[in-house]
Amino acid sequence: KQEVTQIPAALSVPEGENLVLNCSFTDSAIYNLQWFRQDPGKGLTSLLLIQSSQREQTSGRLNASLDKSSGRSTLYIAASQPGDSATYLCAVSPRRDDKIIFGKGTRLHILP
Amino acid sequence: EAGVAQSPRYKIIEKRQSVAFWCNPISGHATLYWYQQILGQGPKLLIQFQNNGVVDDSQLPKDRFSAERLKGVDSTLKIQPAKLEDSAVYLCASSLAPNRVYEQYFGPGTRLTVT
């Protein structure tokens, strides 16, 4: 059974710092991995999607890496801003037509 | 393009009462999902519809939860009777097709508090 774990559960960092969020999954047979952002009172928004054949994806200040063999992914946020404060969820898809399995998320707070 | 709409946004009920949530997916999206997200947890899939048929309801507590998508568009999720442990955010999501399950668009959710 696939399980997704995110560490840490919560993180506070001063504005301007670079930071890394971690995700691990137990079964390396995945179709893709996504990082979502969730703001209070709002739904989830997909930030980055990495196919199983890819090693990383970048969007602006965000960079996500995938090491499928070790069952790990990281989300790197450069030059953090207060607007980055949110919960970040890691999720894997076992197959393209199979349900997404989410981690519990990391609550990120950027201190002004 | 309008996003996934959900109502109500908030609901407070007493245990043993009934409650219903409504979802309108993105136009043209054949697949619809209901998730339960308990505070501090990731979303858990309750039920997945393909048009008006159920694809996966393996994690739906069928003794108290029910869902329907009669015309393959809007959907309702009902809880009857509610328990304290049902307090959560209920998220609706939709995707264009069943072979693109990973490409889901989420609504804002309904926060349910059971007292």
Side-chain angles (χ1 to χ4, degrees), chain A residues 47-50 54-65 75-76 78:
Chain A
L47 297 172
L48 290 165
L49 184 150
I50 311 176
Q54 297 176 319
R55 297 283 299 199
E56 65 177 347
Q57 281 287 342
T58 298
S59 176
R61 295 182 293 107
L62 305 180
N63 176 275
S65 68
L75 178 67
Y76 175 82

Side-chain angles (χ1 to χ4, degrees), chain A residues 32 34 38 41 43 96 98 103, chain B residues 9 37 41-42 99 101-102 107:
Chain A
N32 60 41
Q34 291 187 79
Q38 185 173 28
R96 68 180 303 175
D98 202 354
Chain B
R9 294 296 308 279
Q37 186 177 22
Q41 305 286 318
N99 64 350
V101 172
Y102 57 90

Side-chain angles (χ1 to χ4, degrees), chain A residues 35-101:
Chain A
W35 284 92
F36 288 85
R37 171 178 173 144
Q38 185 173 28
D39 294 281
K42 297 185 180 180
L44 281 66
T45 302
S46 180
L47 297 172
L48 290 165
L49 184 150
I50 311 176
Q51 298 292 354
S52 61
S53 58
Q54 297 176 319
R55 297 283 299 199
E56 65 177 347
Q57 281 287 342
T58 298
S59 176
R61 295 182 293 107
L62 305 180
N63 176 275
S65 68
L66 174 63
D67 184 344
K68 202 173 73 164
S69 61
S70 67
R72 295 184 180 187
S73 175
T74 62
L75 178 67
Y76 175 82
I77 302 177
S80 59
Q81 303 171 358
D84 295 330
S85 297
T87 296
Y88 291 82
L89 293 154
C90 173
V92 299
S93 296
R95 295 183 300 276
R96 68 180 303 175
D97 59 350
D98 202 354
K99 58 176 176 265
I100 298 174
I101 300 167

Side-chain angles (χ1 to χ4, degrees), chain B residues 2 6 9 35 39 45 62 74 80-82 85 90 103 108:
Chain B
Q6 290 188 246
R9 294 296 308 279
Y35 290 87
L39 186 64
L45 180 68
K62 298 180 186 64
D74 293 5
Q80 179 179 8
E85 59 261 36
Y90 291 84
E103 200 169 72

Side-chain angles (χ1 to χ4, degrees), chain B residues 8 46 54-55 59 62 66 71 90 107 115:
Chain B
L46 293 175
V54 175
V55 174
Q59 299 191 95
K62 298 180 186 64
S66 64
K71 296 183 179 180
Y90 291 84
T115 63

